Every structure is written in C-alpha cells, then in structure tokens.
Amino acid sequence: MLSITVPAFAEEPPHDYDIVIYGGTSAAVTAAVQASKMDRSVVIVGPDKHLGGLSGGGLGFTDTGNKKVIGGLSREFYQRVFNAYRKPEAWKHETEADFLKKKLGMRMTTKDAMWSFEPSVAQSVFDDFIRENKIPVFRDEWLDREQGVSMVDGRIESITMLSGKTFKAEIFIDATYEGDLLAAAGVSYHVGREANSTYGEKWNGVQTGVFHHQHHFKGLEISPYKTPGDPESGVLERISTDPPGEYGSGDKRVQAYCFRMCLTNEPSNRIPFPKPDGYDPTQYELLLRIFEKMDPMHVFHKFDPVPNNKTDTNNHGPFSFDNIGMNWDYPEASYERRKEIIQEHKTYQLGMLYFICNDPRVPKELQQAMREWGLPKDEFTDNGNWSHQLYIREARRMVGKHVITEHDLIGNPQNPKSIGMGSYGIDSHNVQRYISPEGHVHNEGDVGVKVPPYQITYDAIVPKENECTNLLVPVAASCSHVAYGSVRMEPVFMILGQSAGTAASIAIEDKVKVQNVDYDKLRTRLLADRQVLEFRR
C-alpha cells in the first residue's frame, strides 16, 4: 500500500540521464528496456515498490483480445512467463496437466506464450528485465506535484521528488496510471466521460438503459430502501440518491476500481479471509437482496484460474468487487487522499469476502463454498498477502496531438503512424449505482462492444507541441473515455511503453521534439523489434 515519507532535504547533485521514466507500471519496464537496448541511459523513478503495475499485482488472467497483434517486448513478457512454467519446480500445488484440464487454463496457454500466471512469477519476470539490462530503479519516490516539475521553453528540464531527489533528462516518459507527471507539466487532460456530442460517439457519456454485461440489476426489481418500498426508511449503503444524468451527457465520474485478487483453495497454502479493520456488515445489505433474486453461486463466476490452484478474481454481477462510486476523486486527489481511497477499497473487498464466509444470513451453500478459499501464503508476502496495486481502470487521460475515439476502433480505419495495436473489446465498468424513477436499484456505465484489431497512432502518446515537447505518455494516453475502455489493457500498455522508449531514443539521436520524430525511422525500428503494426488475417 501507499507509504509516503518526506525526509529532510539533503543536498545532492541531480541524477542526469538521457531518459527518465516516472512510474513503475508494465509500460515503464518495457520503455526502459527498449531505451537501454538502444544504448540510452535510462532510469525508472516512482512511487511503486514493485514493478509491473497490475500485471504483477494480481491481473494474471490476461485481457488479451487477439493474441496475434501482441508483439515485441509485450509478447516477450508472456513468453518468459511460459518459460518459467516449463520448469517442474514452478508447479508447487498442482501439476501442469491438471491446470490445462481446466477449460480456461487451456485457453490461456499457446504454443509460445502463457497468458495466465501467478503475481510472483510476473514480478520475477519484470525484475529479470531490469536486472539483465542494468536499469537503475528509484522506488518509493513521489513526484512533488505542486513544485517538482521544472519547465524551460516548453520542455521539462527536471523533476523533483518529495524526498528532494531531482532527475534531469532529455526526454521524460509518464508511465503512471494516474498521469501525474503530465498534469504537473501543464499538459491538457480529461477526467471522466465526455458527452457523446464531443467526438460524435455512441458509447461515451451516461449510459442509462444499456445492459451489455451481467453486472446490472435489469429484471431484478430490487428496492434501494432499508424498508423495501419505503423511501422514508432511508437508503441502503452504496446507493447514490443523485440522478444519473441525461443519456449521452458527460460527467466527471470515473469507472469503478477494484483489486484483482489472487486467491487460493489449496489448503496447505491458504489463509482464511481475515476480518478487516473497519468491517461493517451493513455495507453488504444489498448483496443479501440479490441472493434472494438470483443464484448466489454467481459470485464465483470470475474466479479465473492461474497456476497452482490460484485465481485472478475479478468483478462479476450487480453487486460485486467493483467499488462503484467510491473513486471519483481519485485521479486528482492528493497522495494522502489516494491512500484513504485505496484502503477503503481493500476494506470493502476483503470485508465482502469475510461477510460471505461468516454472516449467518448468507446462503449456506455459498458460505461453505467460499470458506474453501483464502489468501495465498506465498503471494504479496510483504503486504499481508494482499495485492499492492489497486486496479486504476481509468484516471487522467491526456488530450494530446490526436485523441483516439470509438471511431478509431469500431470502423477499422487505417490510422497513420501506427506504433502498435489493440484488439480487446471496449470495456468500461460501471460508474454509478442509482435509484430509477420506478424506485429500483440500477447500475450505470457498463459498456461492452466488440472491436476488430486496430492501429494505435503515435500521436496518441504525444502532447500538443505548444504544451510540452519532450514528454511521452504511453499509459494515460490521449483517448476518449470509451476508447480507453479498450486501449487500457496491460498487453497494450507494454506495447506502447516499448514504442515510447523507441521514439524517445530516436528523438534524442536526431535532436528533435517528440512531435517531430521521423515516423519512417520509428516504424523501421519497431518492426525490427517485432512490434505488430498492422493486422493481416
């Protein structure tokens, strides 16, 4: 979890590199590795104590889309995972054969790569990347977001941490989920949903009446009131009394976050779900009403298998692990407030597991089944066996040289200056839980739309030239809310990280602004490094 220490300032010379990468996500690792391979001095500095972001933080059941468009270092990551599981000693709690007998286990293994893995294995792969390329990493270093970015003539000259450490570079890369560096540098960004009218989209903005996945209350007709049907009795916890907004209108609300939990049903490796500090069973009253209306065993639908009898457990159902409406202020929040939000999400999620296991009102079949699960003793051993990375599905999004919209995805256009591809469907999780005019509970914001493989233009990771000329942004990239619902997948972040590292290196070599990188030169190098820039069926 977050730990912010601000020691007394100590005078020391700036750390000077060709490229400074702020943030420790999977994109940060691939950007750093690529820059190192191109003989640039590069450093990763950021708040993270562990590298790899969510790829090492519990998201082991990869959202791949079409695996054929995942190339370069992104694919190499999954190939290294594959190789790690070729070693017999990797299978401590089940055999590889038993894992492959699981329907989803077989689907997540291909001839050259493995797309399902334990967090500890992912962490090891990321650490190997860094060690092999001798990349320095400054961990637990927090950007001074108020005064820590020094700008000269539209360029970032240096960035300073709360610890007092200063880092200088020719090119900077913001590889954070939050877009903290781009914001501190004065680069334009957006938080929340644009109105459909902004970019002529269909699936942006408020999406009342849209029920694409199984995370909705349609047909259940559940009362939101403490005494069913009686508004005077008050509203159950975690239901907003605000109107949802007009269909298609924009707002500042953010799609829900959760932890992608690594759980296990292996008795020798299982820790029973502890009762979290601040546990409050009233937070789950709505869940009990859902159990009266639908099969309670739906809770297990997204216990997706990873090796050694573990899971990547994600949200599923109308009331689940997504903490709807409790993160809207996270993107712009102070570090201290973010820490509170992260802790509240942990309390909510761990509290739900404890509630299901222990509250006498929970259906017995579900309760007995959930008691077979727990936290794995051998994962996140320095964080109470709980993930160190909240799933920041969306925070700030840069408004850069080109904004990717649903038109770039759905129409399968040929985009100029491709630096990689995406293919996962547009996937936005719910944004709010509200009371309908009929007096029923509803969720809103869930969107799921299939897309073909699509190209991602270089101009989506580049700020406007009049704002900053030496910054690249591969994670909080320039996308509308709905387009980001597809772009935001971990394989894509690694693809864009590598491409950002390549572009940064070329910009330094040619002494040009990032906006003026020679695309033909960039394309040639990306193809040489096995990036997939167009899709051929």
Side-chain angles (χ1 to χ4, degrees):
M1 303 302 295
L2 283 170
S3 64
I4 305 169
T5 56
V6 185
F9 278 72
E11 291 294 331
E12 59 178 278
H15 301 268
D16 203 342
Y17 297 88
D18 292 332
I19 300 169
V20 168
I21 300 168
Y22 183 67
T25 59
S26 59
V29 174
T30 56
V33 170
Q34 182 65 23
S36 178
K37 289 180 180 295
M38 295 180 72
D39 298 321
R40 300 295 165 194
S41 61
V42 60
V43 64
I44 295 174
V45 56
D48 310 88
K49 293 182 179 179
H50 303 270
L51 295 178
L54 201 64
S55 287
L59 201 163
F61 193 82
T62 309
D63 301 314
T64 59
N66 189 319
K67 298 176 181 66
K68 292 180 180 178
V69 302
I70 300 172
L73 290 171
S74 183
R75 193 172 195 93
E76 183 178 336
F77 169 80
Y78 299 103
Q79 290 171 330
R80 286 182 177 225
V81 168
F82 179 89
N83 291 334
Y85 284 109
R86 301 285 68 73
K87 301 173 183 177
E89 60 268 25
W91 299 93
K92 298 180 179 67
H93 300 295
E94 68 177 332
T95 67
E96 182 177 13
D98 285 340
F99 176 72
L100 293 176
K101 287 177 185 177
K102 300 173 183 176
K103 181 179 179 181
L104 292 178
M106 179 178 294
R107 194 184 83 187
M108 299 299 284
T109 303
T110 54
K111 64 180 181 179
D112 73 322
M114 193 160 175
W115 312 89
S116 178
F117 47 85
E118 298 159 278
S120 53
V121 171
Q123 286 278 289
S124 178
V125 172
F126 286 122
D127 289 342
D128 286 347
F129 269 131
I130 296 302
R131 185 185 65 257
E132 292 166 10
N133 291 278
K134 298 180 173 61
I135 297 166
V137 179
F138 289 77
R139 305 171 194 257
D140 200 18
E141 291 287 349
W142 302 78
L143 176 67
D144 181 343
R145 289 157 56 187
E146 299 298 323
Q147 303 179 51
V149 178
S150 174
M151 301 283 295
V152 177
D153 296 329
R155 293 174 56 84
I156 302 173
E157 184 178 64
S158 65
I159 60 174
T160 300
M161 305 297 113
L162 292 177
S163 67
K165 292 185 177 69
T166 295
F167 297 84
K168 298 181 68 176
E170 290 295 314
I171 303 290
F172 291 82
I173 296 176
D174 184 340
T176 64
Y177 292 120
E178 295 85 359
D180 280 345
L181 177 54
L182 75 89
V187 170
S188 297
Y189 62 87
H190 190 86
V191 174
R193 299 182 286 189
E194 299 91 350
N196 274 333
S197 58
T198 302
Y199 298 116
E201 296 174 298
K202 179 179 180 181
W203 301 112
N204 211 333
V206 175
Q207 294 288 310
T208 46
V210 174
F211 307 105
H212 282 177
H213 292 120
Q214 297 173 307
H215 315 314
H216 57 74
F217 285 84
K218 183 182 180 182
L220 298 181
E221 297 187 352
I222 293 177
S223 174
Y225 305 113
K226 293 180 179 178
T227 300
D230 180 11
E232 299 299 320
S233 66
V235 177
L236 294 177
E237 299 291 341
R238 301 187 179 273
I239 302 172
S240 173
T241 57
D242 294 333
E246 182 181 353
Y247 175 85
S249 63
D251 59 23
K252 295 297 183 183
R253 301 177 178 121
V254 179
Q255 62 176 305
Y257 300 164
C258 71
F259 286 93
R260 294 286 287 254
M261 297 180 296
C262 184
L263 307 180
T264 184
N265 62 353
E266 173 61 43
S268 65
N269 196 37
R270 182 183 65 209
I271 301 170
F273 298 120
K275 180 179 180 180
D277 292 340
Y279 171 72
D280 177 5
T282 66
Q283 300 297 313
Y284 312 105
E285 293 290 330
L286 183 57
L287 185 59
L288 294 175
R289 295 189 186 183
I290 292 170
F291 291 158
E292 295 173 358
K293 297 278 189 172
M294 60 188 298
D295 180 3
M297 303 304 285
H298 79 274
V299 169
F300 293 106
H301 185 79
K302 287 300 291 179
F303 276 49
D304 292 323
V306 303
N308 286 310
N309 289 325
K310 297 174 187 174
T311 71
D312 167 358
T313 297
N314 196 8
N315 177 80
H316 181 77
F319 187 104
S320 184
F321 300 117
D322 275 1
N323 198 359
I324 298 173
M326 303 301 287
N327 63 330
W328 295 344
D329 61 331
Y330 179 91
E332 304 268 37
S334 67
Y335 293 137
E336 290 75 17
R337 173 60 185 147
R338 286 181 184 170
K339 181 180 180 180
E340 293 172 356
I341 294 169
I342 292 169
Q343 181 59 48
E344 196 277 335
H345 277 65
K346 178 182 177 182
T347 299
Y348 165 75
Q349 216 161 319
L350 191 54
M352 184 186 300
L353 294 166
Y354 182 84
F355 176 83
I356 292 172
C357 286
N358 294 281
D359 196 285
R361 297 169 294 172
V362 171
K364 294 303 179 186
E365 180 186 13
L366 171 61
Q367 194 160 77
Q368 291 171 1
M370 188 63 79
R371 286 175 177 173
E372 295 180 5
W373 293 90
L375 304 180
K377 295 177 182 178
D378 57 354
E379 298 290 346
F380 310 119
T381 56
D382 63 346
N383 198 50
N385 309 102
W386 186 265
S387 173
H388 47 74
Q389 178 63 62
L390 182 64
Y391 194 172
I392 309 302
R393 287 192 171 94
E394 187 173 10
R396 298 185 184 94
R397 303 184 310 279
M398 180 173 68
V399 179
K401 192 173 180 181
H402 174 82
V403 178
I404 299 175
T405 70
E406 67 182 43
H407 305 295
D408 294 286
L409 279 56
I410 294 174
N412 197 22
Q414 294 299 304
N415 285 322
K417 301 200 289 188
S418 173
I419 57 169
M421 300 194 72
S423 65
Y424 199 84
I426 295 170
D427 182 17
S428 173
H429 283 230
N430 279 304
V431 173
Q432 58 182 326
R433 179 175 291 130
Y434 68 99
I435 303 171
S436 72
E438 297 76 23
H440 300 142
V441 183
H442 277 289
N443 294 336
E444 183 276 316
D446 184 89
V447 174
V449 179
K450 291 183 179 180
V451 302
Y454 57 88
Q455 296 171 314
I456 300 173
T457 178
Y458 175 62
D459 289 342
I461 68 169
V462 176
K464 298 171 184 175
E465 188 171 342
N466 65 339
E467 293 182 346
C468 187
T469 59
N470 68 333
L471 175 68
L472 293 164
V473 184
V475 178
S478 182
C479 304
S480 70
H481 157 75
V482 61
Y484 199 70
S486 173
V487 173
R488 65 178 181 82
M489 303 304 158
E490 288 290 305
V492 177
F493 287 155
M494 284 189 261
I495 290 168
L496 296 182
Q498 179 180 357
S499 295
T502 306
S505 300
I506 293 173
I508 293 170
E509 179 180 356
D510 292 350
K511 297 180 172 60
V512 297
K513 301 173 181 178
V514 294
Q515 291 83 3
N516 297 333
V517 166
D518 184 329
Y519 177 68
D520 288 338
K521 190 172 184 178
L522 175 60
R523 176 184 173 85
T524 298
R525 179 67 196 230
L526 293 177
L527 290 173
D529 289 331
R530 300 176 291 113
Q531 288 282 46
V532 179
L533 304 185
E534 53 260 327
F535 179 66
R536 297 182 178 89
R537 295 184 184 278

